[in-house]
Structures are given as structure tokens and as C-alpha cells.
């Protein structure tokens, strides 16, 4: 916007005042120079006098007109001292002009006061010495402070030391270089104790005689800064747990690696994955899973040092950056984390037991954040496969990771191309020594790598969501083999393993029933094995699924018993027909009294509940004699036979002896 034009009346007033002053000056000079001039001659100056009256009236209203007329009347009356009246008239005009200026200043001050009083910004004027000479009324509205208390150095109690330094620096720059406008931010305290962020514009008016100071205009931007901080926090932190996210972890890891190179210290990265977390989500719902993740995050916070950095990578994966220390220090921290995260959780009245697998990767001089994260993840997967809890990355792990990727790509084709085969391990009746049944164990006859055991590819099948296809294939082949043996006069009971993913399949009972009907197999010939961990983690879902299967006449067996958190009394809610004691206890019975006590007490309590016991890991006559003495019903292990192909098992069976006639349905 341009400056508006001056009104024509103002221009006319200025012209008349100027002419009046010139006429009076001329009159004064003439009278002084020519004292003999008569009053008649003085009439020559009458136009100027009339001009005085008109000008005074036009400029200053009625009062001006009267004063001008008085001066003219004096001239016409022929006073002997016209000079005095001329002077008086001039003084009147000048006095009225000064009054007008003062009136204008008052009006301007009132206008300025009205603007500042209603302004939303804070306005302050600071002189060269740093003393506040003016503070706008908006200080009370926006910050709760009486402006009069801020004058002088009173404003120092509103801004902190940093703000005082910024103001001093602004004054120095303005004084030294004449900087017109400067901008900065500072924190100011509200009277209620809250802190506000001000965006300050400092205008240099030190050279303006009417101001002679630094004019500060400040706007409260606290809400904007809070919103920006929230957005920044959301971009760098996990919204559920509040932990830093993968993005911030990468940045901090880069910083740690740079500092480690400079200070010649080691950096370790721990990647943590929760075992069976998906089972918790499926069994109890995602809301319970989220609460569990928050509990895990809190435990992590309490376990890491101030110098360490914990983050959530996503899902049920977390990470911890350790600065300083070696592999032993990293292992100690990992063991502490495994113990802390492995303690039972209480979520909405439900006790939940999970475990954690930790992968450790140690940075080398050439390590990058991305490479270290990949290595720690590979180590974590290794710990999960081995169920060791902790694994440390080695160069060989890269080769194994590539192998897993290759197998994951080849597994779907292996099922389609019949590369999978079943091996059968016999189970015998301890009391009679007769063959009671077999356990079907899947193998992969890889075209390039030979025979692969399930611990190499079953975890991969679970990860890529192929367990349902794999289980369907195993059930179909096992039930078809039962039909062949039945037709050949060798009725046996067949045990098949199920996974947690299988229990979540709502069509499981229907699918098995259809297969049994298709091949004409008595349901009592089929025994389904589930690990203790699977059953207890999927408690509610497991109970319903197992009851459906049990109603069909299928036997239910709990595998690897003794390795989880369940108890025999807890298993009463499931329709369990037998327990399989884990081989780690059986193998150690001869040398470890604790293992022997576990096996003995499990068999005794199982019998009280009316549940049969299958003892795995029977590898010699000593173990066989021990479980016979303890009263176990069935035995299985290398001491009896290794898993065999169908043809090899049939040859072994001919040498060992045919099963009892009712063994299949006993």
C-alpha cells in the first residue's frame, strides 16, 4: 500500500498560514524601518491583515478568527504601537499552531495505544543499555504479567538466561552494524509457571529520535512448536511402546559406529525376537498382544544402561545398541534380557509365558548400520532355530542364511514334485515288547543336497506360511500308508505331529475326518502329537480343537513334555490320552538324579490321571530297564530303531516280530 494523498483542505490551510506569516513579517519590518508611516499608510497592509483573519479562522476555527480580527482592529484604530499588535497576532498564530501539533501527537498516542492494547503480539522497546522502556498491555493477556513490572530490567524474570543473551546480542549487532531487522526464538515464562516459545522480530530504531531503541515484536508459537515436536516424535518413535523406531535406531547406530572408530571402542547390536508371540495374538487377540509388547518394552528400559539404546524394530522384534565392551559383555547383557523377558506376564488376568531369542552382532571397522542389523537378525534366527536363546553372528551364518533363503524358495516345489518322504520310527509296548505303532517323521529328499531333516526346513515352512500344506501332505501320506499296512495284515497306530498353526486351522477336524473316511481307517489308529508349549500357549483354542478331534476317536499326545511351563493338573482341561517325556530327561537319567526324579514323578502322576506315558530317547538297555521298572507304557528311541523308510520298516518288522492284533486300537 502507498501513502494516502494529503486532503486539499490541509494543503489550503498550509498555504494560508504561510502567507499570513509572510504578511505579518512584512508588516513588522515596514513599521520598524519606517516609523513615520501613518496609520493610513499602514492600511496598505490591510490585505495581509485580512489574510491573517481568514487564515486563522480557516486553520483554527472561531477562536483563530477572533484573535486575527483583534489584530486587524488594532491596526485600523491607529494605535501608536502597531508593532506590538503585530507581534501579538503572530504569537497567537504560533501558539495555536503549537497547540495543534500537540493535539495531533495526543491523538496519535491514543491511536498507538489502542493498537497495542488490542494487538495479539507482544511489543517491547529496549534502549541501548538493555533496559525496557515500553511493554505492551498484551504481556498481561498472553503471559499474565503486568507490563509495568517488566520495565527496566524487570523483563529478565520472564525470559531465561539464553533469552537475555539473545537480546544482548541483538542490541550489539544493531549498535555495531545497524542491522535493520533480526529474528530469533526464545523461551518466556508465563505467570502460571508454564513455558512459552516466542518468535521475536527485533527492529533497529536506535536512530529514530521518537524511539531510540530496539523494537521487539514477539508472537507465541508454543502450539506450533509442540505440534512439530509431536510430528518429529511420531516419525522417530514407535506409537505403541514409545521406544525409538527402526529409523532412529539406524541414525543412532551410525553415530555409535562413527564414535567407535574415532575412540577405538566396540559396538554390539542385539536383535531380540519374542518366541510364540503370534500364538498369543491368535489365542487372546491383538489387544492383549499390544499390552504384552508394552510390558516387554518396559522390561527392556529397566535392563539397559543409560549409555545403551533400546528400540522396537516392528512386530515382536526389538533391538539394543551397546557401546563399549566385548563379546563377553554383550553375552552377559543378552542373558539378562532373556531372563527378564522370559518371566511370566499378566495381561488382563491371563498368565502368559513366552521366551525371547537374541542375536548378537559385533561391529568391525568396516561395519555399517545396515550390515550390523542384518547380521544380528541372522544370529537371532539361528538362536530361534536352535532354541538356544542366544546366538552370536559368525561369518558362517551368512552362508546358512543364504541356504535358508534358497530352501524357502524351493520348498513349495518340493511338495509339488514329491521330494518329501516319510520315515517311521517304531514304538513298542514296554510290558510285552511288542510293536505298538510308529511315529511318522517327514524328510526332504533334496535333489542336490541329499536327505534333509525337519529341523532344517520346518521352521522355514512356518515362517513362509506353508505349514498347512505340509501338514496336509504328511497326514495324507501317513493315512494312505496305514491303509497299505492294514491291507497287508499289519495294523499299527500312526503318530503324526501337528504345529500351532495347524491348531488355528478351523478346518483341521473336518479335513482329518474326510481323509480317514476316504482311506477307510479307524480313527483310533491315528494319534496326533502336539508339543507342550503349543498346547499351553494356545490353551483356549487348543482345548476346543482337541475336543473335536477326540470326539472322532483320535488319540491325543503331548510331545516333549517337561520342557514348557505347564503342569499335569493344567493339562486336565485337555482330552489327553498320553504324554511323551522329552528325551533330554531320559538320556540323563543314568547320571543325573534330577532327571531321574522328573521321569519317575511324571510317570506316577500321569498314571493317577489315567494318562499313558511314552518315553522318548531310549537308547540302551539301561534306560529300557529303568522305564520298565517305573511302569511306562511305551518306549521309542535309537536303542529300539532309527526312523526307517516304509520298506525298511517292513523288513525290520519281519525280523522284530509282528505287532499285537489289537495294538492299533488299544
Amino acid at each position: 500500500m502507498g501513502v494516502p494523498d494529503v486532503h486539499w483542505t490541509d494543503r489550503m490551510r498550509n498555504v494560508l498560514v504561510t502567507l499570513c506569516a509572510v504578511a505579518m513579517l512584512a508588516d513588522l519590518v515596514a513599521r520598524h524601518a519606517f516609523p513615520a508611516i501613518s496609520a493610513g499608510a499602514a492600511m496598505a497592509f490591510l490585505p495581509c491583515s485580512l489574510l491573517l483573519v481568514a487564515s486563522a479562522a480557516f486553520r483554527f476555527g472561531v477562536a483563530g478568527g477572533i484573535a486575527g480580527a483583534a489584530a486587524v482592529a488594532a491596526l485600523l484604530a491607529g494605535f501608536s504601537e502597531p508593532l506590538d499588535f503585530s507581534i501579538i497576532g503572530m504569537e497567537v498564530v504560533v501558539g495555536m499552531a503549537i497547540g495543534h501539533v500537540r493535539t495531533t501527537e495526543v491523538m496519535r498516542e491514543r491511536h498507538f495505544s489502542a493498537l497495542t492494547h488490542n494487538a495479539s503480539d507482544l511489543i517491547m522497546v529496549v534502549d541501548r543499555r538493555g533496559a525496557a522502556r515500553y511493554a505492551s498491555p498484551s504481556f498481561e493477556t498472553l503471559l499474565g504479567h503486568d507490563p509495568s513490572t517488566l520495565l527496566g530490567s524487570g523483563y529478565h524474570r520472564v525470559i531465561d538466561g539464553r533469552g537475555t543473551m539473545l537480546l544482548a546480542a541483538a542490541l550489539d549487532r544493531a549498535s555495531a552494524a545497524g542491522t535493520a531487522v533480526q529474528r530469533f526464538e526464545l523461551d518466556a515464562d508465563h505467570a502460571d509457571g508454564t513455558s512459552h516459545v516466542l518468535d521475536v522480530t527485533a527492529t533497529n530504531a536506535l536512530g529514530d529520535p521518537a524511539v531510540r531503541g530496539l523494537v521487539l515484536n514477539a508472537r507465541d508459537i508454543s502450539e506450533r512448536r509442540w505440534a512439530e515436536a509431536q510430528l518429529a516424535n511420531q516419525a522417530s518413535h514407535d506409537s505403541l511402546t514409545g521406544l525409538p523406531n527402526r529409523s532412529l535406531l539406524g541414525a543412532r547406530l551410525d553415530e555409535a559406529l562413527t564414535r567407535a572408530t574415532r575412540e577405538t571402542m566396540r559396538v554390539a547390536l542385539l536383535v531380540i525376537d519374542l518366541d510364540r508371540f503370534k500364538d498369543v495374538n491368535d489365542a487372546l487377540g491383538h489387544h492383549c498382544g499390544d499390552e504384552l509388547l508394552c510390558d516387554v518394552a518396559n522390561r527392556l528400559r529397566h535392563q539397559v544402561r543409560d549409555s545403551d539404546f533400546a528400540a522396537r524394530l516392528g512386530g515382536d522384534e526389538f533391538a539394543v545398541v551397546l557401546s563399549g565392551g566385548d563379546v563377553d559383555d554383550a553375552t552377559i547383557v543378552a542373558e539378562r534380557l532373556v531372563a527378564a523377558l522370559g518371566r511370566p506376564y499378566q495381561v488382563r488376568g491371563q498368565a502368559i509365558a513366552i521366551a525371547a531369542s537374541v542375536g548378537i552382532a559385533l561391529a568391525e571397522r568396516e561395519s555399517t548400520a545396515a550390515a550390523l542389523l542384518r547380521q544380528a537378525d541372522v544370529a537371532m534366527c539361528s538362536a530361534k532355530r536352535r532354541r538356544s536363546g542366544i546366538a552370536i553372528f559368525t561369518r558362517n551364518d551368512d552362508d546358512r542364511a543364504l541356504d535358508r533363503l534358497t530352501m524357502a524358495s524351493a520348498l513349495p516345489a518340493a511338495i509339488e514334485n514329491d521330494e518329501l518322504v516319510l520315515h517311521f520310527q517304531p514304538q513298542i509296548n514296554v510290558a510285552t515288547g511288542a510293536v505298538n505303532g510308529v511315529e511318522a517323521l517327514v524328510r526332504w529328499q533334496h535333489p542336490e543336497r541329499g536327505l534333509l531333516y525337519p529341523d532344517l526346513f520346518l521352521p522355514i515352512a512356518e515362517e513362509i506360511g506353508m505349514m498347512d500344506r505340509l501338514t496336509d501332505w504328511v497326514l495324507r501320506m501317513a493315512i494312505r500308508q496305514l491303509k497299505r499296512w492294514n491291507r497287508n495284515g499289519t495294523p499299527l497306530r500312526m503318530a503324526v505331529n501337528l504345529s500351532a498353526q495347524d491348531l488355528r486351522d478351523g478346518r483341521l477336524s473336518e479335513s482329518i475326518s474326510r481323509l480317514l473316511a476316504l482311506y477307510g481307517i479307524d480313527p483310533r489308529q491315528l494319534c496326533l502329537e502336539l508339543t507342550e508349549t503349543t498346547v499351553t500357549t494356545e490353551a483356549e483354542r487348543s482345548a476346543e480343537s482337541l475336543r473335536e478331534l477326540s470326539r472322532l476317536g483320535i488319540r491325543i499326545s503331548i510331545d516333549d513334555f517337561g520342557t514348557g511351563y505347564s503342569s499335569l493338573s493344567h493339562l486336565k482341561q485337555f482330552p489327553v490320552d498320553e504324554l511323551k517325556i522329552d528325551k533330554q530327561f531320559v538320556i540323563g537319567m543314568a547320571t543325573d538324579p534330577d532327571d531321574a526324579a522328573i521321569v519317575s514323578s511324571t510317570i506316577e502322576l500321569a498314571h493317577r490321571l489315567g494318562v499313558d506315558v511314552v518315553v522318548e530317547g531310549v537308547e540302551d538297555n539301561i534306560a529300557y530297564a529303568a522305564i520298565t521298572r517305573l511302569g511306562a507304557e511305551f518306549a521309542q528311541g535309537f536303542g529300539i530303531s532309527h526312523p526307517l523308510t516304509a520298506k525298511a520298516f517292513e523288513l525290520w518288522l519281519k525280523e522284530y516280530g509282528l505287532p499285537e492284533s489289537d495294538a492299533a486300537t488299544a
Side-chain angles (χ1 to χ4, degrees), residues 235-238 243-253 271 309 311-315 317 319 370 373-374 377:
S236 60
H237 286 73
D238 174 51
L243 287 175
N245 60 16
R246 180 186 288 268
S247 175
L248 185 54
L249 172 73
R252 292 295 179 85
L253 193 51
V271 169
F309 183 80
R312 183 188 179 198
L313 298 178
E317 283 194 349
L373 188 59
R374 181 187 62 80
D377 191 66

Side-chain angles (χ1 to χ4, degrees), residues 153-170 184-189 195-196:
S153 61
Y155 68 90
H156 288 290
R157 61 190 179 86
V158 178
I159 61 175
D160 57 12
R162 173 178 169 275
T164 302
M165 293 174 60
L166 286 172
L167 284 179
F184 50 89
E185 291 182 9
L186 55 81
D187 294 332
D189 294 329
S195 180
H196 291 242

